[in-house]
Amino acid sequence: MPIPTSEPPISSKRSTSFAARLAIEAQRQGFAASGITAIEGLPAVGERLAQFIALGRQGDMDWLADTVERRSHPHALWPEARSAVLVTMQYGGADDDPLSAIDDFDRGIISLYAKRRDYHDVLKGRLKHLAGWLQRETGGDVKVFVDTAPLMEKPLAMAAGLGWQGRHTNLVSRAQGSWFLLGAILTTVVLAPDTPEIDHCGSCRRCLDICPTDAFPAPYQLDARRCISYLTIEHKGHIARDLRRAVGNRIFGCDDCLAVCPWNKFAQHAADQRFAVREEIDNPPLADLLGLDDAAFRARFAGTPIKRTGRDRFLRNVLIAAGNARQVTLLPQVTALLDDPSPLVRAMAVWALASIGDAEAVRETAERRLPSETDPDVRREWQE
């Protein structure tokens, strides 16, 4: 329930705009922009999320279905919250072009945000400093959120004037494009809100038209089950056979719908050096990845978002990219993975082998290996 208050907003008590001082402090902490929205009076977003879940579009992200009620409104998460401070942190710039690597089939494309240190580590530290400043200035209680709690950050950011949800459902800003991440601070203090942002997509539909897997059933709607970002990061099982060719050489995430957004011409690179691209994971050669065991995977991707996906799912993606590359030089490594302990890896090794190898040789290999294979999914790959 909304909490009634007779206290005037903080900014009305001061000669200097609180929002302006907040913006200065946020920039000092490395954030590109900040905005404020009131919690009371915010429209609930649970109905739209519930429809998304009812259609099964969340795939196997069960945590979304389990937290629908808590995500419906910030008061469901923290009843005492009165205001929300939203901040953005830039990670890409106008000169970034993920689409340029799509035809470089000997390499695996890694999403722009994941080529650097895990954003949770970078944002949370900065956000805690900003929350500490907010608490000292206002005397209210605060809580920080960086994509780890059932809080719908994008609707809050829209209400705080930081951007709008484009046709691809991602947040877009006229000043920053869409190469940015969100952080949120909830507080028990009433702060004067900023003006909500409106939609500036106009008639543009580039993001919808470029999607390799047709993951948008309609503008402003996403079916995660067809989204390459979901399939290569969140999805725990096998990627459907009819989608594998469309995945191409994308091995962790997909930036296509973001990359074509014309508003990205205003994006600026992050000043924080911890967000610098790590050379060893900047679209690495597939040959360097196919031989990774669990220890090598963890060592190579330590401190990045890629590590949380795990070696087996990552190798699943790399093998799909290898199959799409159809390069004979990768055959020895692909063949070696036919004996991998993980059925997820073995199954995609079969698919990659069939895509690259000589048809007759593949049939002979299938006849030899199929009788001893016990996993039904791997057997199905051999049979198909």
Side-chain angles (χ1 to χ4, degrees):
M1 294 291 293
I3 301 173
T5 177
S6 58
E7 288 293 310
I10 286 288
S11 61
S12 68
K13 297 180 179 180
R14 303 179 186 273
S15 56
T16 303
S17 165
F18 181 81
R21 293 193 296 114
L22 172 67
I24 292 171
E25 182 61 25
Q27 289 173 3
R28 195 175 74 84
Q29 294 298 339
F31 296 110
S34 61
I36 301 169
T37 185
I39 299 297
E40 186 175 348
L42 274 178
V45 296
E47 184 177 344
R48 182 175 177 182
L49 180 59
Q51 183 183 24
F52 176 80
I53 300 297
L55 293 169
R57 291 176 177 172
Q58 81 281 10
D60 54 18
M61 293 186 289
D62 297 334
W63 44 271
L64 272 176
D66 294 340
T67 57
V68 170
E69 187 174 342
R70 295 178 69 196
R71 290 177 185 274
S72 63
H73 195 278
H75 276 157
L77 190 63
W78 191 21
E80 292 78 22
R82 308 280 187 87
S83 304
V85 173
L86 277 295
V87 293
T88 65
M89 182 171 280
Q90 205 84 51
Y91 65 87
D95 57 341
D96 285 306
D97 182 17
L99 299 176
S100 64
I102 285 178
D103 295 326
D104 198 357
F105 284 108
D106 64 334
R107 293 180 174 271
I109 299 176
I110 292 176
S111 190
L112 198 58
Y113 83 91
K115 296 180 181 182
R116 55 206 84 219
R117 185 168 175 175
D118 193 330
Y119 66 92
H120 295 94
D121 299 334
V122 179
L123 262 72
K124 197 155 194 176
R126 298 285 190 179
L127 205 58
K128 284 182 176 179
H129 284 297
L130 183 61
W133 175 89
L134 181 64
Q135 190 171 38
R136 291 190 298 273
E137 288 290 310
T138 66
D141 293 332
V142 294
K143 291 184 179 182
V144 301
F145 301 88
V146 184
D147 190 28
T148 53
L151 184 70
M152 302 290 278
E153 292 98 340
K154 286 189 286 187
L156 284 174
M158 287 179 63
L162 293 182
W164 69 96
Q165 282 188 261
R167 283 186 167 85
H168 50 21
T169 75
N170 294 293
L171 207 68
V172 185
S173 162
R174 286 186 293 174
Q176 303 166 67
S178 49
W179 300 130
F180 62 87
L181 302 161
L182 289 173
I185 304 171
L186 298 187
T187 177
T188 56
V189 176
V190 177
L191 302 174
D194 289 299
T195 303
E197 182 57 286
I198 61 172
D199 192 319
H200 295 282
C201 286
S203 60
C204 178
R205 50 174 293 125
R206 296 182 196 179
C207 58
L208 307 181
D209 295 337
I210 199 171
C211 181
T213 52
D214 295 322
F216 302 105
Y220 308 102
Q221 295 182 30
L222 172 69
D223 188 340
R225 297 168 298 183
R226 299 188 63 86
C227 174
I228 294 175
S229 283
Y230 161 78
L231 292 170
T232 57
I233 299 175
E234 300 291 347
H235 183 49
K236 300 178 180 65
H238 299 284
I239 294 175
R241 179 175 284 265
D242 64 334
L243 296 176
R244 293 174 195 168
R245 293 298 179 202
V247 170
N249 58 338
R250 302 168 186 84
I251 59 174
F252 190 90
C254 177
D255 290 329
D256 290 21
C257 64
L258 301 180
V260 296
C261 180
W263 290 102
N264 277 330
K265 64 185 177 183
F266 300 111
Q268 300 293 322
H269 285 283
D272 195 323
Q273 286 304 303
R274 291 178 297 174
F275 262 176
V277 171
R278 286 171 46 171
E279 185 176 353
E280 72 274 17
I281 56 174
D282 187 9
N283 298 345
L286 297 176
D288 291 355
L289 304 175
L290 287 167
L292 294 176
D293 59 15
D294 191 61
F297 169 81
R298 290 176 177 273
R300 182 162 190 151
F301 298 109
T304 75
I306 301 169
K307 184 181 176 183
R308 73 180 181 89
T309 297
R311 178 260 183 188
D312 295 348
R313 272 192 272 172
F314 185 71
L315 261 290
R316 171 201 62 189
N317 304 338
V318 175
L319 282 162
I320 289 175
N324 288 327
R326 293 188 168 102
Q327 294 186 357
V328 177
T329 54
L330 298 176
L331 265 179
Q333 291 173 291
V334 169
T335 302
L337 290 171
L338 295 173
D339 295 314
D340 195 84
S342 167
L344 192 63
V345 174
R346 290 202 307 277
M348 286 309 97
V350 174
W351 186 82
L353 177 70
S355 298
I356 303 171
D358 173 76
E360 184 59 35
V362 172
R363 278 194 293 271
E364 292 175 0
T365 305
E367 290 171 0
R368 188 172 65 254
R369 286 180 171 269
L370 187 56
S372 60
E373 178 58 63
T374 58
D375 184 84
D377 292 318
V378 183
R379 288 182 61 83
R380 190 176 301 111
E381 291 294 333
W382 279 122
Q383 290 163 347
E384 290 181 358

